[in-house]
Amino acid sequence: DQQVKQNSPSLSVQEGRISILNCDYTNSMFDYFLWYKKYPAEGPTFLISISSIKDKNEDGRFTVFLNKSAKHLSLHIVPSQPGDSAVYFCAASSEFSGNTPLVFGKGTRLSVIA
Amino acid sequence: AAGVIQSPRHLIKEKRETATLKCYPIPRHDTVYWYQQGPGQDPQFLISFYEKMQSDKGSIPDRFSAQQFSDYHSELNMSSLELGDSALYFCASSLAGPNPTDTQYFGPGTRLTVL
């Protein structure tokens, strides 16, 4: 049973526009969420995280929103750049930290078109 | 900055053979995690070690074993390989304390192909 779901396998966005990647989870014990970006032939690279005590975290062009009641989070990238084209994984943990085994979604492939 | 090193990057084995994957964490990191990512799948947690002791166990088959050595590097040993073991194997490292990291840092992965 997939506890972290990324229902959009792919997303195409024009350069300069906003990219919105979505993630849903089913386990109410999850209290820490992370987004990783992955380029081909490389390992996942940490992007941004959010604790369940917050509903928003921002870092430059990246913002993550958390809706606990809906068990939903989203990653916003504004403005999108061609270098953002990658696979984005949503991950969750249940110990208020990313320093613990993570449960991943299947990923969303983002293509930013120039 | 130094990253997580995994070797080999690619490995081809026959069914029923054994394989050993190696992971060298970021210097001073004390925790190592292993994940398996099958084709089109999400990375699945296998096992982790903190200070050379197993800390968590996920969906690791009994045919697999792992350990963390005194220099903190880790090895994943896989025996009686099956076709379904073909996957990308990621190692990640983190610092549990003091001043713990809030995330794990991943290596580039080892792609294992079982023929």
Side-chain angles (χ1 to χ4, degrees), chain A residues 87-106:
Chain A
V87 177
Y88 289 77
F89 288 98
C90 173
S93 78
S94 52
E95 295 183 27
F96 278 109
S97 169
N99 207 351
T100 185
L102 300 176
V103 179
F104 283 87
K106 289 186 186 292

Side-chain angles (χ1 to χ4, degrees), chain A residues 30-89:
Chain A
F30 289 149
D31 52 30
Y32 197 82
F33 305 89
L34 308 92
W35 285 94
Y36 282 85
K37 177 169 73 172
K38 185 182 180 304
Y39 293 119
E42 295 183 12
T45 301
F46 171 70
L47 204 53
I48 193 169
S49 61
I50 188 166
S51 165
S52 61
I53 62 174
K54 295 185 176 181
D55 54 19
K56 176 183 174 181
N57 189 25
E58 194 172 350
D59 184 2
R61 296 185 298 115
F62 303 92
T63 303
V64 56
F65 295 92
L66 175 62
N67 182 334
K68 286 193 296 286
S69 60
K71 293 192 178 67
H72 176 84
L73 59 154
S74 61
L75 174 68
H76 293 211
I77 307 174
V78 182
S80 301
Q81 300 174 353
D84 295 329
S85 297
V87 177
Y88 289 77
F89 288 98

Side-chain angles (χ1 to χ4, degrees), chain B residues 11 21 24 28 50 54 62 66 71 77 92 94-95 98 103 114:
Chain B
L11 190 58
L21 310 186
Y24 297 87
R28 292 187 296 107
Y50 166 66
Q54 181 182 307
D62 292 340
D71 64 352
N77 298 293
S94 68
L95 180 63
T103 185
V114 181

